[in-house]
Amino acid sequence: MAEGDKKKVARKHCSRNPVLVRGIGRYSRSVMSARRAMYKRKTKAPVTKVEKKIREKKIKEKKNSNTVTKTVGGDKNGGIRAVKRRKMPRYYPTEDVRRKLRSHGIKPFSQHRRKLRQSITPGTVLILLTGRHRGKRVVFLKQLDSGLLLVTGPLALNRVPLRRAHQKFCIATNTKLDISGIKFPSTLVDSYFKKKKMRKPKHQEGEIFDTEKEKYQLTEQRKADQKAVDSLLLPLIKKVPELKGYLRSTFSLSNGVYPHKLVF
Amino acid sequence: MVFKRFVEIGRVAFVAFGPYEGKLVAIVDVIDQNRALVDGPCTGVKRQAMPFKCLQLTDYVIKVPHSARQKYVRRAWEKAEVSKKWEESSWAKKIEARKKRAKMSDFDRFKVMKAKKMRNKIIKHEMKKLQKAEQKKA
């Protein structure tokens, strides 16, 4: 009976701090500590797993000190050097680094949603409005991952090669070709068409503005791809009467022609 | 005669604007200075008052007494074959042509341009031939 009592949790004492008014006790913190005999109760709380891990880590870190000894060459250099593993920062900004507030749903360009106007479907004849091929009528092939449109003249008709065009700067006409059967070479991707950046010139006097690779160089790969695509398109174009001549011509406005009244 | 087409009972008119734009109606009665009682049983216009401003008079008149019932207007219309005559008139044909032109796509416009060019070429060619023949004679 008696041993059992000792092991068990002692019966709870009522509060030793009588209440004067709700929220205010009779005795202060230090007096309460004495009344509760906290000086007698010094038990260690059990070490939690997290704390254990932290302690072990600290011990490990002390073992692996910050410095590494490295050998140094040279005669009178003392042979070894104690090199710090984690060096002090060499710069402390005078002001706090400004942090941006958390943003929601702001994606990088590569993850943007690409939209395509309903009027533009594979095989549509587009009228290019900007660039060196402005006014030319061109066949739309497909939309690339960057959202730009892959377009071709065909080259034999209007000297427009396989090229990218921006959706916003094209007029889509109602004229459509049936391109569903055509398989495009898999090499036609955005990176294939991307402009190549010229290499930084090594600092030479007198040649600062003269850079290599300024002009566009035709590659055999491009010629082959162009041929492959055009050879599939041209028979389709020939089937439609007058379409060949249509693609060869350019679009222009004249007196009395108002784009907002035209049906394309 | 200065004016050839008059507002009279039975005059067929073309509606120029409003909800019944482009349809033919017959003037059945005159309400006041600005409005007519109008009916177009064969063209889908309900019997109603219509201001003269939106009516353009045509050459056709149907024989109908004033305020005649729709049934009799229809009868008179069909007897006079107004719809058929209208379709054959150059007025209606011009309207048709205008509509077609507005609907032309870019490709159609190109084809028209090519056709016109060819036509003009042929005409010019014949003209030149005739002119040459005349010159030779002289």
Side-chain angles (χ1 to χ4, degrees):
Chain A
M1 215 174 21
E3 279 127 74
D5 276 340
K6 261 201 192 161
K7 276 277 172 139
K8 277 202 180 143
V9 177
R11 271 180 306 151
K12 282 201 176 153
H13 193 282
C14 69
S15 170
R16 292 180 217 265
N17 193 0
V19 172
L20 295 174
V21 172
R22 184 176 83 133
I24 304 177
R26 167 72 186 80
Y27 301 106
S28 72
R29 227 182 253 266
S30 47
V31 174
M32 274 316 294
S33 184
R35 282 166 73 88
R36 285 169 71 204
M38 294 309 278
Y39 55 86
K40 278 199 209 162
R41 315 191 208 179
K42 287 211 180 133
T43 49
K44 270 181 103 183
V47 184
T48 56
K49 270 196 201 158
V50 179
E51 274 196 317
K52 217 181 190 179
K53 262 197 191 162
I54 296 174
R55 282 191 197 171
E56 280 174 12
K57 203 170 162 206
K58 273 197 186 158
I59 294 168
K60 217 169 119 194
E61 271 186 17
K62 272 213 169 125
K63 266 211 226 154
N64 314 347
S65 67
N66 197 16
T67 56
V68 177
T69 45
K70 290 210 163 165
T71 48
V72 176
D75 240 2
K76 304 186 193 158
N77 270 342
I80 9 167
R81 206 65 38 108
V83 177
K84 276 204 185 160
R85 246 210 248 126
R86 285 177 305 269
K87 299 194 180 67
M88 305 299 291
R90 65 205 151 134
Y91 173 68
Y92 290 99
T94 46
E95 292 178 21
D96 280 338
V97 179
R98 272 164 140 238
R99 306 254 174 240
K100 284 195 176 157
L101 294 172
R102 274 198 232 141
S103 61
H104 169 77
I106 309 287
K107 294 194 207 152
F109 178 72
S110 55
Q111 290 174 28
H112 281 179
R113 206 157 34 117
R114 315 292 175 198
K115 296 192 199 152
L116 189 61
R117 292 211 294 264
Q118 267 203 334
S119 49
I120 303 182
T121 61
T124 312
V125 173
L126 304 175
I127 301 176
L128 299 176
L129 294 174
T130 53
R132 60 176 58 216
H133 298 289
R134 62 197 89 107
K136 292 208 180 150
R137 297 180 173 109
V138 123
V139 178
F140 166 65
L141 301 177
K142 67 174 185 168
Q143 187 178 35
L144 301 170
D145 286 332
S146 68
L148 296 172
L149 313 178
L150 178 61
V151 128
T152 180
L155 187 68
L157 296 182
N158 49 22
R159 292 306 285 172
V160 178
L162 279 167
R163 205 170 200 265
R164 298 186 294 177
H166 191 112
Q167 213 192 131
K168 277 270 172 193
F169 303 111
C170 299
I171 298 179
T173 62
N174 285 334
T175 323
K176 298 196 198 280
L177 285 172
D178 188 10
I179 288 202
S180 46
I182 293 200
K183 272 196 85 190
F184 300 111
S186 56
T187 50
L188 302 176
V189 201
D190 271 306
S191 45
Y192 177 73
F193 291 105
K194 204 167 162 61
K195 282 206 187 116
K196 311 284 182 281
K197 275 215 174 101
M198 33 202 183
R199 285 171 254 110
K200 264 190 247 172
K202 300 205 172 157
H203 292 279
Q204 289 172 354
E205 284 298 318
E207 283 197 12
I208 308 178
F209 297 116
D210 202 277
T211 47
E212 310 169 13
K213 257 203 183 180
E214 229 185 53
K215 288 195 76 186
Y216 165 73
Q217 309 289 350
L218 237 199
T219 60
E220 286 306 313
Q221 167 79 341
R222 289 252 186 174
K223 282 197 205 162
D225 284 333
Q226 185 74 52
K227 222 181 183 180
V229 174
D230 281 0
S231 59
L232 297 169
L233 277 180
L234 280 172
L236 292 175
I237 292 173
K238 288 216 171 95
K239 274 197 212 147
V240 183
E242 304 213 44
L243 189 60
K244 196 162 151 223
Y246 178 56
L247 290 174
R248 293 187 70 200
S249 64
T250 49
F251 173 78
S252 64
L253 294 174
S254 59
N255 255 357
V257 178
Y258 306 112
H260 69 289
K261 288 217 152 163
L262 287 181
V263 168
F264 283 100
Chain B
M1 292 284 271
V2 189
F3 292 104
K4 295 205 200 90
R5 300 170 183 160
F6 298 97
V7 169
E8 50 194 313
I9 309 295
R11 172 67 65 180
V12 173
F14 175 79
V15 182
F17 54 83
Y20 301 99
E21 190 176 341
K23 299 213 166 98
L24 288 181
V25 287
I27 295 175
V28 166
D29 206 350
V30 169
I31 300 172
D32 61 12
Q33 204 208 348
N34 301 321
R35 293 175 301 154
L37 177 61
V38 120
D39 199 356
C42 302
T43 52
V45 182
K46 286 204 180 119
R47 184 165 242 230
Q48 64 194 265
M50 213 182 255
F52 284 119
K53 272 208 180 142
C54 71
L55 297 175
Q56 292 175 348
L57 305 179
T58 65
D59 284 330
Y60 315 118
V61 186
I62 55 176
K63 211 156 174 268
V64 124
H66 80 107
S67 316
R69 228 169 89 204
Q70 189 174 63
K71 172 171 163 194
Y72 296 108
V73 177
R74 187 195 297 270
R75 214 183 265 176
W77 190 291
E78 281 164 5
K79 184 153 175 236
E81 294 183 335
V82 175
S83 299
K84 188 157 146 277
K85 285 199 201 140
W86 169 252
E87 291 298 321
E88 292 166 358
S89 74
S90 57
W91 186 345
K93 288 199 191 131
K94 275 193 265 176
I95 294 175
E96 212 14 75
R98 236 178 283 143
K99 276 199 212 154
K100 275 206 191 135
R101 206 175 298 149
K103 262 196 252 160
M104 266 202 291
S105 82
D106 193 45
F107 189 25
D108 293 333
R109 258 173 267 129
F110 172 79
K111 286 193 256 192
V112 164
M113 182 262 284
K114 283 285 170 188
K116 270 194 187 169
K117 223 169 157 194
M118 184 163 290
R119 184 169 171 257
N120 288 338
K121 207 189 225 182
I122 297 171
I123 292 173
K124 282 226 178 79
H125 184 67
E126 287 301 319
M127 261 303 269
K128 283 274 155 68
K129 273 211 282 198
L130 291 173
Q131 279 176 346
K132 249 205 204 159
E134 280 303 307
Q135 255 198 356
K136 259 201 184 156
K137 264 201 210 160

